[in-house]
Amino acid sequence: MPTTEQLLDNGQGVIDPDVFFKMNSPPANLKDFETKLEQFVDYHQEKKTRLVFITSGGTIVPLENQTVRFIDNFSNGHRGACSAEYFLEAGYAVVFMHRQFSLQPYHRHYTHNPSIGFLDYLVQKDDNIQVDQQYNDKMKTVLSNYQNAIKNNRLLLLDFVTLSDYLFKLKSGTRILARLQENAMYYLAAAVSDFFIPSEKMHEHKIQSGGGALTLTLDQVPKFLTPLVSVWASKGLIVSFKLETDVNLLVPKARQALTRYGHQVVVANMLSTRKQTVTVITKSSQQVLSLTPEDIAHHVEIESRIIPQLVHIHDGWISSGATKACQQ
Amino acid sequence: MPTTEQLLDNGQGVIDPDVFFKMNSPPANLKDFETKLEQFVDYHQEKKTRLVFITSGGTIVPLENQTVRFIDNFSNGHRGACSAEYFLEAGYAVVFMHRQFSLQPYHRHYTHNPSIGFLDYLVQKDDNIQVDQQYNDKMKTVLSNYQNAIKNNRLLLLDFVTLSDYLFKLKSGTRILARLQENAMYYLAAAVSDFFIPSEKMHEHKIQSGGGALTLTLDQVPKFLTPLVSVWASKGLIVSFKLETDVNLLVPKARQALTRYGHQVVVANMLSTRKQTVTVITKSSQQVLSLTPEDIAHHVEIESRIIPQLVHIHDGWISSGATKACQQ
C-alpha cells in the first residue's frame, strides 16, 4: 500500500478523496447500511416522494489504532434532529445519518437533558408503568408523529462514529440516492472533522503519558464536497453548513464554499447564536432568518423557518431540472 | 498571571497540581456542586452510612477557547454506572460524579442502545402513555430500585464535562468527603485525559483548515492522585483504575501507580476484556476476577464481583483506621 506522502495531490499536504478510500478500510456494517438504504430509496422512488438525506452530529478522529483517545467535534446533533421533524412535516421522506447516540428526531425531546433521565418520566401504576401525567399531553403528539413516520416508512435511521465511517457512508449513500436525481436533497449538517491522523501514522497502543509533552500532527481531511457535487450526487440539491466563531469570517467563507464546490446552498451560522439566527446563502441570494424574542418565548425553533425556505429552493431546483430535461 | 513555562516543576514539562488550579478558572457551577454535596455528606455522616464517591465517564480537553473541537477519551461510563448500583445494593450512599450524558445508574438499562430509542419503549393506551408490556417486568424492578435510592437520598448525581471541570470538582468533592474519614471510598473510574492544552496556548477561534497539516502540542496533565492521596482524602480508601491495550504493561503499570501514589487499590483492566475480567491489586495482594461463559450467558456483570471485593477491603480499612485511632 502506498504511504500518504506518496499520494499527496498538492503541496499543502491534502490527499485526494479517492486516495482516502484506498488508504482506509470500509466500516464493517457498510453492506447492511447499503441494503437498508436501497430498500428505502426504491420504496420512495416508486411513490415519487421527495427525499432528504440528513447528516447530523460530529465525526470522531481516533488518535490510536486501538482507540482510547480521539478528537471530536462540538455537535450534539440538534440541528439535524430538529430539521428532520420539519422535513417530515413538509412531506419529505428522511434518511437520518447521525453520529451514534447524538440527538434523534422525536426522541430528542426526552434525551440529553442534564436534569431528567429516562426513568424520571415514568411512574408505576397498578401493574403497569406509565408516563407521568405532567408529560402526557406533549408526549402524545410527539409519540404519534414518530410512530406515523415509522409506520409509513418515512424515516430511516442510520449511524456512524468515526470520520472514516462517515465518509464511506456518505459516498455510498449519496450514490444510492443519485437515482432520485433532482428529487433528492442533501442536508449536510454533520460536523465533520477537518483534520485526521492516517492509520499508518497512528500509535498502535494507548499513548503513554510518561514522556512529558505530546505532539500530534494531523493531516487535512480531503474536501469531499468536490466529488459529492460533481459526481456522487450531481443532480440533487446540496445544502452545506458553515459554522464559525469569528463573525467576520462567516459570510466570506460561506461564499467561498459555494464558489469552490459549485453546489447550491450554504446555511451559515455562528456557534453562539446558531439556534436564533442563520443566513441562507445561494449564488444569487442571501437571506437572514432570525427568531424574535417573542418566537423564543414561544419555543419556536429556527429550523421551522429554515426548512420551508429550503423546500422553496428545492421546488425551483426540481422545476429547473425538468426544464433542462425538456430542452435536451 | 505567570505562564506555564515559569511554573513547570520539573524538566519533563509537567506542572504541579496547584499550578493547574491557579492557571484555570473554576467551573461556573462549582458553588452549586459544593452545596449539594455538603448537604448529602452531612446527611449520611449523621446516619453513619458508608459513602462512595464514584467518578465516571471521560473528560474532554478543548482545542480552542471558543470550543469547536476537543480531545475525548473512550468511555461511556459503563463501569461507573454499573458499579453505582452494586454499591447501593451493598448499603452505600453514592455520589455519582459523571461526564454529562454518559451512562447513569438505573437509567443505563434504557439509554445508549443503538437500536432502541426513548419512544420505542412506549405505547399509547387510552388517554395515557404506557411502557410496552415486553419491557414491563424488568423495568418494574429497575424503576423501583431507582426510586428507592432517590427517595432515601442515597444517590446524588453530579456532572462534569471538561478536564478542568473534573479536576476542580474532584478537589472540592474529595475535601468535602474528607470529614467522613475512613468511611468514605473514592472509586475513580473516570477516564481522565493525560494531556491538555493550557488556555494561554489555545487557539481563540475555530482552527481554520486552509493551511495544510495541523500540529498540536499538548502538555501532560499533573498527577492529581498525589495531593488526593496525601492531602485531600488522606483517610479514605482510594481505588484507582488502570486501562491498557498492551497486556504486558497492565500489572507493572498498576503496581507502579500504587508505589508512586501510596494509595490502596488499583483495578487493572484491558480495553478489550474489561467487561469480563479485572485484576484487583493492593500492596499485598493481587486477585483476578473473571466471569465464566455461563456467567456471561446469564448476563452477570463483572461489577457484581468487584464491588463485594472492595467492600471487603473497605471493612479492613475501617477496622485498621479504628485501631490506629485507639492507639493514638
Side-chain angles (χ1 to χ4, degrees), chain A residues 19-57:
Chain A
V19 173
F20 185 93
F21 293 116
K22 284 192 196 118
M23 307 273 305
N24 289 275
S25 305
N29 64 356
L30 187 62
K31 267 274 154 280
D32 181 52
F33 169 93
E34 289 171 341
T35 307
K36 283 181 180 157
L37 187 55
E38 273 169 0
Q39 284 170 356
F40 190 79
V41 170
D42 284 349
Y43 179 88
H44 289 291
Q45 188 172 19
E46 198 162 301
K47 287 201 168 304
K48 302 197 193 319
T49 326
R50 285 191 198 176
L51 200 147
V52 62
F53 184 85
I54 299 178
T55 69
S56 182

Short mmCIF file of all heavy atoms in Angstrom, two decimals, chain A residues 19-57:
data_model
loop_
_atom_site.label_atom_id
_atom_site.label_comp_id
_atom_site.label_asym_id
_atom_site.label_seq_id
_atom_site.Cartn_x
_atom_site.Cartn_y
_atom_site.Cartn_z
N VAL A 19 -8.00 8.80 -2.74
CA VAL A 19 -6.88 8.21 -2.02
C VAL A 19 -7.31 7.83 -0.60
O VAL A 19 -6.94 6.77 -0.09
CB VAL A 19 -5.70 9.20 -1.99
CG1 VAL A 19 -4.59 8.68 -1.09
CG2 VAL A 19 -5.20 9.45 -3.40
N PHE A 20 -8.13 8.67 -0.01
CA PHE A 20 -8.62 8.37 1.34
C PHE A 20 -9.30 7.00 1.36
O PHE A 20 -9.07 6.18 2.26
CB PHE A 20 -9.60 9.45 1.82
CG PHE A 20 -10.04 9.25 3.24
CD1 PHE A 20 -9.38 9.87 4.29
CD2 PHE A 20 -11.11 8.40 3.55
CE1 PHE A 20 -9.77 9.67 5.60
CE2 PHE A 20 -11.50 8.19 4.86
CZ PHE A 20 -10.84 8.83 5.89
N PHE A 21 -10.13 6.74 0.37
CA PHE A 21 -10.85 5.47 0.35
C PHE A 21 -9.92 4.28 0.10
O PHE A 21 -10.19 3.18 0.55
CB PHE A 21 -11.98 5.50 -0.69
CG PHE A 21 -13.08 6.47 -0.33
CD1 PHE A 21 -13.35 7.58 -1.12
CD2 PHE A 21 -13.82 6.29 0.83
CE1 PHE A 21 -14.35 8.48 -0.78
CE2 PHE A 21 -14.83 7.18 1.19
CZ PHE A 21 -15.09 8.28 0.38
N LYS A 22 -8.83 4.53 -0.62
CA LYS A 22 -7.87 3.45 -0.85
C LYS A 22 -7.06 3.15 0.41
O LYS A 22 -6.66 2.02 0.65
CB LYS A 22 -6.90 3.82 -1.98
CG LYS A 22 -7.52 3.69 -3.36
CD LYS A 22 -6.48 3.77 -4.48
CE LYS A 22 -7.17 4.03 -5.81
NZ LYS A 22 -6.77 5.29 -6.42
N MET A 23 -6.82 4.20 1.22
CA MET A 23 -5.95 4.05 2.39
C MET A 23 -6.69 3.57 3.64
O MET A 23 -6.07 3.30 4.65
CB MET A 23 -5.29 5.39 2.73
CG MET A 23 -4.58 6.07 1.60
SD MET A 23 -2.87 5.53 1.42
CE MET A 23 -2.21 5.83 3.04
N ASN A 24 -8.02 3.58 3.60
CA ASN A 24 -8.78 3.21 4.79
C ASN A 24 -9.73 2.06 4.47
O ASN A 24 -10.18 1.92 3.32
CB ASN A 24 -9.57 4.41 5.30
CG ASN A 24 -8.67 5.47 5.91
OD1 ASN A 24 -8.33 5.40 7.07
ND2 ASN A 24 -8.25 6.44 5.10
N SER A 25 -10.05 1.27 5.46
CA SER A 25 -10.97 0.15 5.24
C SER A 25 -12.41 0.61 5.45
O SER A 25 -12.68 1.40 6.37
CB SER A 25 -10.70 -0.97 6.24
OG SER A 25 -9.36 -1.34 6.16
N PRO A 26 -13.32 0.11 4.63
CA PRO A 26 -14.73 0.49 4.83
C PRO A 26 -15.26 -0.05 6.16
O PRO A 26 -14.75 -1.03 6.68
CB PRO A 26 -15.45 -0.18 3.66
CG PRO A 26 -14.52 -1.19 3.10
CD PRO A 26 -13.13 -0.80 3.51
N PRO A 27 -16.27 0.61 6.73
CA PRO A 27 -16.83 0.12 8.00
C PRO A 27 -17.44 -1.27 7.83
O PRO A 27 -17.95 -1.60 6.76
CB PRO A 27 -17.91 1.16 8.35
CG PRO A 27 -18.17 1.92 7.10
CD PRO A 27 -16.94 1.84 6.27
N ALA A 28 -17.38 -2.07 8.89
CA ALA A 28 -17.84 -3.46 8.83
C ALA A 28 -19.32 -3.56 8.43
O ALA A 28 -19.73 -4.51 7.79
CB ALA A 28 -17.62 -4.11 10.20
N ASN A 29 -20.12 -2.55 8.79
CA ASN A 29 -21.56 -2.65 8.51
C ASN A 29 -21.98 -1.90 7.23
O ASN A 29 -23.15 -1.57 7.06
CB ASN A 29 -22.37 -2.17 9.72
CG ASN A 29 -22.14 -0.69 10.01
OD1 ASN A 29 -21.32 -0.03 9.35
ND2 ASN A 29 -22.86 -0.15 10.98
N LEU A 30 -21.03 -1.66 6.32
CA LEU A 30 -21.37 -0.88 5.12
C LEU A 30 -22.42 -1.58 4.25
O LEU A 30 -23.33 -0.94 3.72
CB LEU A 30 -20.11 -0.56 4.30
CG LEU A 30 -20.31 0.40 3.12
CD1 LEU A 30 -20.80 1.77 3.59
CD2 LEU A 30 -19.03 0.58 2.30
N LYS A 31 -22.29 -2.89 4.10
CA LYS A 31 -23.24 -3.64 3.27
C LYS A 31 -24.66 -3.51 3.82
O LYS A 31 -25.61 -3.27 3.09
CB LYS A 31 -22.85 -5.12 3.23
CG LYS A 31 -21.96 -5.51 2.06
CD LYS A 31 -22.81 -5.83 0.80
CE LYS A 31 -22.06 -5.61 -0.49
NZ LYS A 31 -21.99 -4.21 -0.93
N ASP A 32 -24.77 -3.66 5.12
CA ASP A 32 -26.06 -3.56 5.80
C ASP A 32 -26.65 -2.15 5.61
O ASP A 32 -27.84 -1.98 5.32
CB ASP A 32 -25.83 -3.87 7.29
CG ASP A 32 -27.11 -3.82 8.08
OD1 ASP A 32 -28.08 -4.49 7.67
OD2 ASP A 32 -27.16 -3.11 9.11
N PHE A 33 -25.79 -1.15 5.74
CA PHE A 33 -26.17 0.25 5.50
C PHE A 33 -26.75 0.40 4.09
O PHE A 33 -27.81 0.99 3.88
CB PHE A 33 -24.92 1.11 5.70
CG PHE A 33 -25.03 2.55 5.25
CD1 PHE A 33 -25.41 3.54 6.16
CD2 PHE A 33 -24.75 2.92 3.94
CE1 PHE A 33 -25.50 4.87 5.75
CE2 PHE A 33 -24.84 4.25 3.53
CZ PHE A 33 -25.22 5.22 4.44
N GLU A 34 -26.04 -0.16 3.12
CA GLU A 34 -26.46 -0.01 1.72
C GLU A 34 -27.78 -0.72 1.43
O GLU A 34 -28.64 -0.19 0.72
CB GLU A 34 -25.36 -0.55 0.78
CG GLU A 34 -24.12 0.35 0.78
CD GLU A 34 -22.92 -0.24 0.03
OE1 GLU A 34 -22.90 -1.49 -0.18
OE2 GLU A 34 -22.02 0.52 -0.32
N THR A 35 -27.92 -1.91 2.00
CA THR A 35 -29.15 -2.67 1.77
C THR A 35 -30.37 -1.92 2.31
O THR A 35 -31.38 -1.75 1.62
CB THR A 35 -29.05 -4.05 2.46
OG1 THR A 35 -27.84 -4.66 2.02
CG2 THR A 35 -30.24 -4.93 2.14
N LYS A 36 -30.25 -1.44 3.54
CA LYS A 36 -31.37 -0.70 4.14
C LYS A 36 -31.71 0.55 3.32
O LYS A 36 -32.87 0.87 3.08
CB LYS A 36 -31.01 -0.26 5.56
CG LYS A 36 -31.10 -1.39 6.56
CD LYS A 36 -30.76 -0.87 7.95
CE LYS A 36 -30.85 -2.00 8.97
NZ LYS A 36 -30.03 -1.72 10.17
N LEU A 37 -30.66 1.24 2.90
CA LEU A 37 -30.86 2.50 2.18
C LEU A 37 -31.48 2.23 0.80
O LEU A 37 -32.40 2.95 0.37
CB LEU A 37 -29.53 3.24 2.07
CG LEU A 37 -29.60 4.64 1.49
CD1 LEU A 37 -30.58 5.52 2.26
CD2 LEU A 37 -28.22 5.30 1.50
N GLU A 38 -31.00 1.20 0.12
CA GLU A 38 -31.55 0.89 -1.20
C GLU A 38 -33.04 0.56 -1.13
O GLU A 38 -33.82 1.04 -1.95
CB GLU A 38 -30.78 -0.27 -1.84
CG GLU A 38 -29.56 0.26 -2.59
CD GLU A 38 -28.58 -0.82 -3.02
OE1 GLU A 38 -28.83 -2.01 -2.74
OE2 GLU A 38 -27.56 -0.45 -3.62
N GLN A 39 -33.41 -0.21 -0.14
CA GLN A 39 -34.83 -0.55 0.01
C GLN A 39 -35.66 0.72 0.24
O GLN A 39 -36.73 0.89 -0.34
CB GLN A 39 -35.04 -1.51 1.19
CG GLN A 39 -34.61 -2.93 0.86
CD GLN A 39 -34.57 -3.83 2.09
OE1 GLN A 39 -34.79 -3.37 3.20
NE2 GLN A 39 -34.26 -5.11 1.88
N PHE A 40 -35.15 1.57 1.08
CA PHE A 40 -35.87 2.81 1.42
C PHE A 40 -36.00 3.71 0.19
O PHE A 40 -37.07 4.25 -0.09
CB PHE A 40 -35.10 3.52 2.55
CG PHE A 40 -35.82 4.67 3.19
CD1 PHE A 40 -36.83 4.46 4.13
CD2 PHE A 40 -35.48 5.99 2.88
CE1 PHE A 40 -37.48 5.53 4.74
CE2 PHE A 40 -36.13 7.06 3.47
CZ PHE A 40 -37.13 6.83 4.41
N VAL A 41 -34.91 3.84 -0.55
CA VAL A 41 -34.92 4.71 -1.73
C VAL A 41 -35.83 4.14 -2.82
O VAL A 41 -36.62 4.86 -3.44
CB VAL A 41 -33.47 4.94 -2.24
CG1 VAL A 41 -33.47 5.64 -3.59
CG2 VAL A 41 -32.69 5.77 -1.22
N ASP A 42 -35.76 2.84 -3.03
CA ASP A 42 -36.64 2.21 -4.03
C ASP A 42 -38.10 2.48 -3.71
O ASP A 42 -38.89 2.83 -4.57
CB ASP A 42 -36.41 0.69 -4.05
CG ASP A 42 -35.12 0.32 -4.77
OD1 ASP A 42 -34.54 1.22 -5.42
OD2 ASP A 42 -34.68 -0.84 -4.67
N TYR A 43 -38.42 2.30 -2.43
CA TYR A 43 -39.80 2.49 -1.98
C TYR A 43 -40.28 3.91 -2.31
O TYR A 43 -41.37 4.11 -2.84
CB TYR A 43 -39.86 2.23 -0.47
CG TYR A 43 -41.21 2.42 0.15
CD1 TYR A 43 -42.14 1.37 0.20
CD2 TYR A 43 -41.57 3.64 0.73
CE1 TYR A 43 -43.39 1.54 0.78
CE2 TYR A 43 -42.81 3.82 1.32
CZ TYR A 43 -43.72 2.77 1.34
OH TYR A 43 -44.95 2.95 1.92
N HIS A 44 -39.43 4.89 -2.03
CA HIS A 44 -39.86 6.27 -2.24
C HIS A 44 -39.74 6.72 -3.69
O HIS A 44 -40.44 7.63 -4.12
CB HIS A 44 -39.12 7.21 -1.28
CG HIS A 44 -39.58 7.02 0.12
ND1 HIS A 44 -40.83 7.39 0.54
CD2 HIS A 44 -39.00 6.42 1.19
CE1 HIS A 44 -40.99 7.05 1.81
NE2 HIS A 44 -39.89 6.46 2.23
N GLN A 45 -38.86 6.08 -4.43
CA GLN A 45 -38.78 6.40 -5.86
C GLN A 45 -40.09 6.01 -6.53
O GLN A 45 -40.65 6.77 -7.33
CB GLN A 45 -37.62 5.64 -6.50
CG GLN A 45 -37.36 6.10 -7.94
CD GLN A 45 -36.10 5.49 -8.52
OE1 GLN A 45 -35.59 4.48 -8.04
NE2 GLN A 45 -35.59 6.11 -9.57
N GLU A 46 -40.60 4.86 -6.14
CA GLU A 46 -41.86 4.39 -6.71
C GLU A 46 -43.01 5.32 -6.33
O GLU A 46 -43.87 5.64 -7.13
CB GLU A 46 -42.13 2.98 -6.16
CG GLU A 46 -43.14 2.21 -6.96
CD GLU A 46 -43.02 0.71 -6.64
OE1 GLU A 46 -41.92 0.15 -6.86
OE2 GLU A 46 -44.00 0.16 -6.13
N LYS A 47 -42.99 5.77 -5.09
CA LYS A 47 -44.05 6.66 -4.60
C LYS A 47 -43.83 8.11 -5.04
O LYS A 47 -44.65 8.98 -4.74
CB LYS A 47 -44.10 6.62 -3.07
CG LYS A 47 -44.67 5.33 -2.50
CD LYS A 47 -45.14 5.58 -1.07
CE LYS A 47 -45.99 4.48 -0.48
NZ LYS A 47 -47.19 4.11 -1.20
N LYS A 48 -42.70 8.39 -5.67
CA LYS A 48 -42.33 9.75 -6.09
C LYS A 48 -42.29 10.75 -4.92
O LYS A 48 -42.55 11.94 -5.10
CB LYS A 48 -43.25 10.26 -7.20
CG LYS A 48 -43.27 9.37 -8.45
CD LYS A 48 -43.84 10.12 -9.64
CE LYS A 48 -44.18 9.21 -10.81
NZ LYS A 48 -43.22 8.14 -11.11
N THR A 49 -41.97 10.26 -3.73
CA THR A 49 -41.81 11.15 -2.59
C THR A 49 -40.47 11.87 -2.72
O THR A 49 -39.48 11.26 -3.12
CB THR A 49 -41.73 10.36 -1.26
OG1 THR A 49 -42.57 9.22 -1.35
CG2 THR A 49 -42.09 11.21 -0.06
N ARG A 50 -40.43 13.12 -2.35
CA ARG A 50 -39.13 13.80 -2.24
C ARG A 50 -38.38 13.23 -1.03
O ARG A 50 -39.00 12.93 -0.01
CB ARG A 50 -39.32 15.29 -2.01
CG ARG A 50 -39.75 16.02 -3.25
CD ARG A 50 -39.63 17.49 -2.97
NE ARG A 50 -40.40 18.27 -3.90
CZ ARG A 50 -40.52 19.58 -3.82
NH1 ARG A 50 -39.93 20.26 -2.85
NH2 ARG A 50 -41.23 20.24 -4.71
N LEU A 51 -37.09 13.17 -1.17
CA LEU A 51 -36.30 12.56 -0.10
C LEU A 51 -35.15 13.49 0.32
O LEU A 51 -34.51 14.10 -0.54
CB LEU A 51 -35.76 11.23 -0.61
CG LEU A 51 -35.31 10.21 0.44
CD1 LEU A 51 -35.59 8.79 -0.04
CD2 LEU A 51 -33.85 10.38 0.75
N VAL A 52 -34.93 13.60 1.62
CA VAL A 52 -33.78 14.37 2.09
C VAL A 52 -32.84 13.44 2.86
O VAL A 52 -33.27 12.61 3.66
CB VAL A 52 -34.20 15.59 2.94
CG1 VAL A 52 -34.96 15.19 4.21
CG2 VAL A 52 -32.97 16.45 3.32
N PHE A 53 -31.56 13.57 2.54
CA PHE A 53 -30.50 12.81 3.20
C PHE A 53 -29.85 13.76 4.19
O PHE A 53 -29.14 14.69 3.79
CB PHE A 53 -29.51 12.35 2.12
CG PHE A 53 -28.40 11.46 2.60
CD1 PHE A 53 -28.58 10.09 2.72
CD2 PHE A 53 -27.14 11.97 2.87
CE1 PHE A 53 -27.54 9.25 3.13
CE2 PHE A 53 -26.09 11.14 3.28
CZ PHE A 53 -26.30 9.78 3.41
N ILE A 54 -30.13 13.56 5.48
CA ILE A 54 -29.60 14.46 6.50
C ILE A 54 -28.39 13.81 7.17
O ILE A 54 -28.47 12.65 7.58
CB ILE A 54 -30.67 14.75 7.58
CG1 ILE A 54 -31.88 15.43 6.95
CG2 ILE A 54 -30.10 15.59 8.73
CD1 ILE A 54 -33.01 15.72 7.94
N THR A 55 -27.29 14.54 7.27
CA THR A 55 -26.18 14.06 8.10
C THR A 55 -26.15 14.92 9.35
O THR A 55 -26.40 16.12 9.29
CB THR A 55 -24.82 14.13 7.38
OG1 THR A 55 -24.44 15.50 7.21
CG2 THR A 55 -24.87 13.44 6.02
N SER A 56 -25.88 14.31 10.49
CA SER A 56 -26.08 15.01 11.76
C SER A 56 -25.11 14.52 12.85
O SER A 56 -24.82 13.34 12.93
CB SER A 56 -27.52 14.76 12.20
OG SER A 56 -27.82 15.43 13.38
N GLY A 57 -24.63 15.45 13.65
CA GLY A 57 -23.70 15.08 14.74
C GLY A 57 -22.27 15.14 14.26
O GLY A 57 -21.99 15.33 13.08
#
